[in-house]
Amino acid sequence: MANEKLAEIFNEIADMLSVDKRPTARFEVRAYQNASMALLSMDEDVSKLYERSGIDGLMSISGIGKGLAGKIEEYIKTGHVRKYDELKKKYPIDFENLTKIEGMGAKRAITLYQKLNVTDIKSLKDAISSHKVMALEGFGERSEQLLEKGIEMLEGSKGRMLLGYALPAAESIVSELLASNKVEKAIICGSTRRMKETIGDIDILAISQRPEDVMGLFAKMKGVSNIEVKDPTKTTVWLDIGTTCDLRVIAPESFGAAMQYFTGSKEHNVEVRKIAISKGYKLNEYGLFDKNDKVVSAIDETDIYSRLGMDWIEPEMRENRGEIALAKKHKLPKLVKLQDLKGDMHSHTKETDGTNTLEEMASAAMAHGLEYLAITNHTKSLKVARGMDEKKFAEFFKRVDALNEKLDGKLTLLKGAEVDILKDGSLDLSAAALKSMDCVVAAVHSGFNMSINEMTSRVIKAIDSGYVNILAHPTGRIINEREPYAIDLRKIAEKAEEKGVVMEIDSYPSRLDLNDASIFAIRDYNVLFSIDSDAHSVSHFDNLRYGVGMARRGWLTKEKVINTMPARRISKLMARK
Ligand code: DGT
Ligand code: CA
Ligand code: CA
């Protein structure tokens, strides 16, 4: 589709215009950014739209006026946008990659180009290592160090993709395989089946009588580009979304053994194999065999575990963190499931940085089978998200009350806020406003660079206020972009236990915060968790399954998760503040 390419061009034009000093430039930047967003959210290819309805068709896209429609037309006809080419001559900068570095926006990239001739990550690295960046006005030593850290982070994360991108891609490959009638079974294995927060590559297994046909079909699927390995039973391809996918076709009789083997993790498998050996067996991807190479078990994964004296282990637990000992004692926890969730305690609407109305969010929550939804818009200090003050909340809550009445119990909307925890640990709304709410979610959104002691005291002070119900995204990390801030989660958990504050598992694919390791580390405290979508649009309720994945990887049962409770009990729990 031309949409993505054009969106990228418009975005870059906006970047390059951001240093333009003309008074009207600010509006142009906005217009290009909006047009870029509009193009990305369209389902139809703009060139098709243009073919059908010409320039008027283009102008019917919300956010696209006459000038921009002209640019789109120019691109469709010539493959170029002249304005872009001209600006690009002036600023031959790799904005796309440079601006991925934390702390690096378009303006800084342009300054670095003008002063130091930095055009890409390589030349930025050179400038940093010769300490030229810190000498620049507006940068300094701290800035230089942060940029260096940002580059390390970006490079370290290369190659691992968010579960939120990988899982839907894997699912669509599996459904296409199943729909083809060429396979009898197809399942996702590897880290994707284990719901790891990031995925190195996607692993899929299929059973088929016609492996060659299956591989042929796979290689031709939409989104599959480069075939890296191709043999009769294994094909590795590069997917357009930016990762590789292994597809293995296996014999029906070893399906369970292959599933067990390719689900991993490697560490889990090594332990399981040791148990097999101690019983005089051999275990591999083809099956469990006795001394005479006779098959003991192979078709069924559960049966393999059972022959080894264990209960079947949920994929999310297979990390060799003690699950094998529990499986032997038949003491595995019964993990929380997506279907257990009855509500969502964290969401946003158009009033702040969400994209949908209150009414739309409510219908989407119902469509996802939820019984209650807390609307928790941002508070006044968070200017970028158009945070609301006490008065705006009061007005907004009148609308929530009215909608609740209309909904007549089909969905209960909880009146809440995602209140900012300010640098000194105080909360960004008056006590009276906080008291009037059904659900107060609190979070840190600024001042990330504090020492561990300062940050821990800051958050503890917020919890101690007595107004907070839920601590949202407790470590502030953004996967592949921003490190968690320094915070002592055990001390936080101890305080949360004392005050009855709930710890959030934010399901947003780039957050997943708390993550599995953090949940695992504090699961022995008497704290409860809330698996929230942090939805900023109606489609984000689909993300809840990733939060559930983290909870399961942290071994949480339903009892530990507040939003598995019915609405009546949640209201009681929240009223304790
Ligand atoms: P990833 O792709 O880095 O996110 O992680 P995985 O766990 O998907 O790893 P991957 O794709 O390299 O291999 C898929 C599964 O195959 C892995 O989870 C366990 C199994 N496996 C791979 N190599 C070995 C190995 O050397 N020994 C054992 N026991 N299992 C292995
Ligand atoms: Ca993998
Ligand atoms: Ca693999």
Side-chain angles (χ1 to χ4, degrees):
M1 285 221 300
N3 303 33
E4 278 98 27
K5 187 66 205 162
L6 262 167
E8 216 178 290
I9 289 176
F10 284 177
N11 218 1
E12 248 189 75
I13 294 180
D15 282 349
M16 294 187 280
L17 287 176
S18 67
V19 290
D20 195 319
K21 298 233 158 53
R22 283 173 303 133
T24 53
R26 212 154 44 93
F27 303 106
E28 284 181 46
V29 169
R30 255 298 169 72
Y32 278 107
Q33 282 168 343
N34 289 342
S36 172
M37 290 287 283
L39 285 165
L40 286 178
S41 54
M42 274 171 70
D43 292 325
E44 192 183 9
D45 192 329
V46 271
S47 40
K48 291 238 172 69
L49 175 62
Y50 177 71
E51 243 168 63
R52 206 175 58 241
S53 333
I55 197 113
D56 286 341
L58 298 178
M59 282 168 66
S60 72
I61 307 167
S62 125
I64 308 261
K66 200 167 169 196
L68 284 159
K71 300 259 179 324
I72 298 174
E73 180 181 44
E74 183 190 353
Y75 179 80
I76 293 169
K77 284 188 169 160
T78 67
H80 284 272
V81 177
R82 220 171 46 230
K83 182 170 180 95
Y84 174 73
D85 296 342
E86 280 163 12
L87 281 165
K88 205 69 205 176
K89 242 183 239 153
K90 196 163 158 199
Y91 305 117
I93 301 171
D94 177 5
F95 287 101
E96 203 197 331
N97 286 306
L98 279 173
T99 54
K100 277 188 194 146
I101 301 168
E102 195 187 347
M104 177 75 101
K107 279 190 191 165
R108 291 190 120 192
I110 291 175
T111 309
L112 287 166
Y113 168 68
Q114 289 170 331
K115 304 267 159 86
L116 303 174
N117 213 19
V118 165
T119 54
D120 53 15
I121 290 183
K122 161 109 192 21
S123 49
L124 176 59
K125 273 189 186 164
D126 293 344
I128 288 173
S129 59
S130 50
H131 297 300
K132 285 186 187 142
V133 175
M134 66 186 234
L136 289 183
E137 197 187 318
F139 283 81
E141 188 173 358
R142 180 95 183 115
S143 263
E144 187 175 277
Q145 285 166 352
L146 287 176
L147 284 177
E148 188 171 17
K149 226 172 133 206
I151 296 176
E152 260 173 43
M153 180 117 180
L154 186 69
E155 298 195 326
S157 67
K158 261 200 190 120
R160 291 198 72 83
M161 161 164 289
L162 299 184
L163 177 64
Y165 291 124
L167 183 57
E171 285 170 339
S172 83
I173 293 171
V174 164
S175 31
E176 211 171 316
L177 287 172
L178 291 171
S180 73
N181 292 325
K182 290 189 167 69
V183 304
E184 286 145 49
K185 277 186 188 168
I187 72 149
I188 299 167
C189 287
S191 50
T192 317
R193 186 174 179 221
R194 304 199 312 280
M195 300 291 277
K196 253 188 103 157
E197 61 185 39
T198 59
I199 304 301
D201 76 344
I202 296 170
D203 301 276
I204 293 174
L205 294 184
I207 294 182
S208 172
Q209 307 297 335
R210 296 174 287 167
E212 307 262 313
D213 286 5
V214 175
M215 295 310 187
L217 168 76
F218 183 47
K220 282 202 214 79
M221 276 183 194
K222 210 174 116 215
V224 166
S225 46
N226 232 327
I227 295 144
E228 303 194 340
V229 183
K230 189 160 191 268
D231 66 39
T233 57
K234 181 184 168 193
T235 299
T236 301
V237 298
W238 177 253
L239 301 179
D240 289 348
I241 56 162
T243 190
T244 57
C245 175
D246 289 341
L247 172 67
R248 293 180 176 83
V249 176
I250 50 179
E253 60 272 20
S254 41
F255 196 63
M259 246 168 104
Q260 199 285 324
Y261 182 91
F262 290 111
T263 296
S265 69
K266 205 163 151 181
E267 293 73 17
H268 171 90
N269 285 358
V270 167
E271 288 308 305
V272 172
R273 193 170 313 154
K274 277 188 199 156
I275 293 172
I277 292 166
S278 75
K279 293 186 184 298
Y281 295 141
K282 186 176 85 181
L283 178 65
N284 58 29
E285 65 264 49
Y286 303 105
L288 181 68
F289 301 90
D290 68 11
K291 276 191 216 65
N292 307 315
D293 268 347
K294 207 174 136 255
V295 182
V296 177
S297 179
I299 292 182
D300 182 59
E301 206 183 41
T302 310
D303 188 59
I304 294 173
Y305 279 104
S306 150
R307 297 284 178 151
L308 294 172
M310 283 179 274
D311 288 341
W312 179 81
I313 301 174
E314 301 273 9
E316 292 92 334
M317 291 186 76
R318 299 185 197 174
E319 299 288 348
N320 194 27
R321 289 183 189 156
E323 73 280 8
I324 290 174
L326 291 184
K328 279 189 193 158
K329 286 189 272 181
H330 311 292
K331 288 221 164 108
L332 286 167
K334 199 161 170 257
L335 303 181
V336 61
K337 297 189 299 289
L338 180 62
Q339 300 88 297
D340 293 332
L341 296 192
K342 293 196 167 70
D344 186 346
M345 308 304 288
H346 185 172
S347 71
H348 299 267
T349 61
K350 255 183 135 148
E351 277 65 28
T352 58
D353 58 348
T355 53
N356 289 97
T357 61
L358 172 65
E359 291 73 16
E360 288 163 347
M361 292 302 277
S363 325
M366 285 189 282
H368 277 76
L370 299 180
E371 293 169 15
Y372 52 92
L373 172 68
I375 307 281
T376 54
N377 276 319
H378 288 290
T379 57
K380 56 197 176 192
S381 287
L382 202 62
K383 299 239 161 52
V384 286
R386 294 189 291 137
M388 306 190 332
D389 61 14
E390 288 80 356
K391 193 161 154 263
K392 283 210 172 122
F393 273 107
E395 283 160 13
F396 180 66
F397 288 161
K398 282 190 202 142
R399 287 181 45 212
V400 178
D401 284 335
L403 183 56
N404 257 335
E405 199 127 311
K406 226 168 100 189
L407 289 167
D408 197 24
K410 286 197 283 291
L411 177 80
T412 305
L413 293 165
L414 302 175
K415 291 175 282 185
E418 179 180 7
V419 60
D420 239 43
I421 301 175
L422 302 174
K423 290 200 179 95
D424 64 358
S426 61
L427 299 173
D428 192 27
L429 282 179
S430 70
L434 294 170
K435 267 192 207 153
S436 78
M437 294 182 185
D438 304 320
C439 168
V440 174
V441 173
V444 168
H445 289 108
S446 61
F448 299 120
N449 288 317
M450 285 184 167
S451 72
I452 184 162
N453 287 338
E454 281 174 318
M455 186 60 93
T456 308
S457 317
R458 173 182 178 182
V459 174
I460 282 181
K461 184 172 162 198
I463 295 176
D464 254 336
S465 73
Y467 295 119
V468 175
N469 295 117
I470 298 173
L471 181 63
H473 40 75
T475 78
R477 66 97 176 244
I478 309 283
I479 300 176
N480 293 349
E481 283 176 38
R482 187 170 75 208
E483 295 277 8
Y485 39 73
I487 190 163
D488 186 336
L489 275 183
R490 288 176 199 277
K491 282 204 184 123
I492 299 295
E494 208 174 286
K495 183 52 90 175
E497 178 178 324
E498 179 197 323
K499 288 290 196 175
V501 165
V502 172
M503 301 290 273
E504 183 178 67
I505 301 171
D506 190 304
S507 304
Y508 207 73
S510 57
R511 281 199 183 269
L512 299 181
D513 182 8
L514 297 173
N515 72 357
D516 52 353
S518 300
I519 298 164
F520 203 80
I522 63 167
R523 55 189 277 285
D524 291 330
Y525 289 87
N526 194 14
V527 284
L528 296 175
F529 297 83
S530 182
I531 303 175
D532 300 336
S533 67
D534 195 356
H536 284 69
S537 89
V538 290
S539 64
H540 291 166
F541 291 109
D542 288 334
N543 294 334
L544 282 167
R545 59 178 175 158
Y546 307 120
V548 172
M550 285 307 108
R552 290 166 63 84
R553 288 178 59 81
W555 295 20
L556 295 188
T557 59
K558 186 176 160 178
E559 292 67 38
K560 281 274 201 179
V561 179
I562 61 161
N563 48 327
T564 62
M565 294 178 188
R568 189 176 33 83
R569 276 186 61 205
I570 267 288
S571 301
K572 264 195 201 149
L573 184 80
M574 295 292 110
R576 280 192 308 179
K577 70 166 185 284

